[in-house]
């Protein structure tokens, strides 16, 4: 169990958050899909790309086009 402060301000919520789908696809057939791992490299790279392109959060789809997760969310 851990707690952290909410990094978002009331102004962030007022403005809203912009999401876009990432061109990187998750592999739902991977044996690692059901395991929590420390491999966040794609998430970090996509989060940086999002910031450079002016949006808040990239979300990932799998190869079937199903929503899987956000880079941070």
């Amino acid at each position: 169990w851990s707690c952290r402060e909410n990094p978002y301000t009331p102004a962030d919520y007022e403005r809203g958050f912009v999401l876009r789908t990432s061109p990187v696809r998750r592999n739902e057939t991977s044996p690692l899909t059901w395991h929590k791992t420390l491999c966040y490299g794609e998430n970090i790279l996509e989060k940086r790309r999002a910031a450079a392109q002016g949006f808040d959060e990239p979300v990932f789809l799998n190869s079937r086009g199903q929503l899987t997760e956000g880079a941070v969310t």
Side-chain angles (χ1 to χ4, degrees):
W1 173 266
S2 67
C3 294
R4 63 182 170 141
E5 282 195 40
N6 182 352
Y8 302 114
T9 66
D12 291 325
Y13 289 102
E14 187 67 31
R15 173 184 61 86
F17 297 88
V18 178
L19 307 176
R20 291 188 188 161
T21 55
S22 168
V24 174
R25 295 292 181 253
R26 298 296 193 213
N27 179 4
E28 74 277 2
T29 65
S30 169
L32 297 178
T33 297
W34 306 106
H35 298 278
K36 184 71 172 172
T37 68
L38 298 177
C39 182
Y40 292 107
E42 290 175 340
N43 297 46
I44 293 167
L45 292 174
E46 286 300 287
K47 186 68 174 177
R48 288 178 183 167
R49 187 178 69 81
Q53 292 183 357
F55 64 99
D56 299 302
E57 178 74 350
V59 291
F60 295 98
L61 305 176
N62 64 17
S63 65
R64 296 179 188 169
Q66 299 167 319
L67 181 66
T68 60
E69 64 182 331
V72 177
T73 55

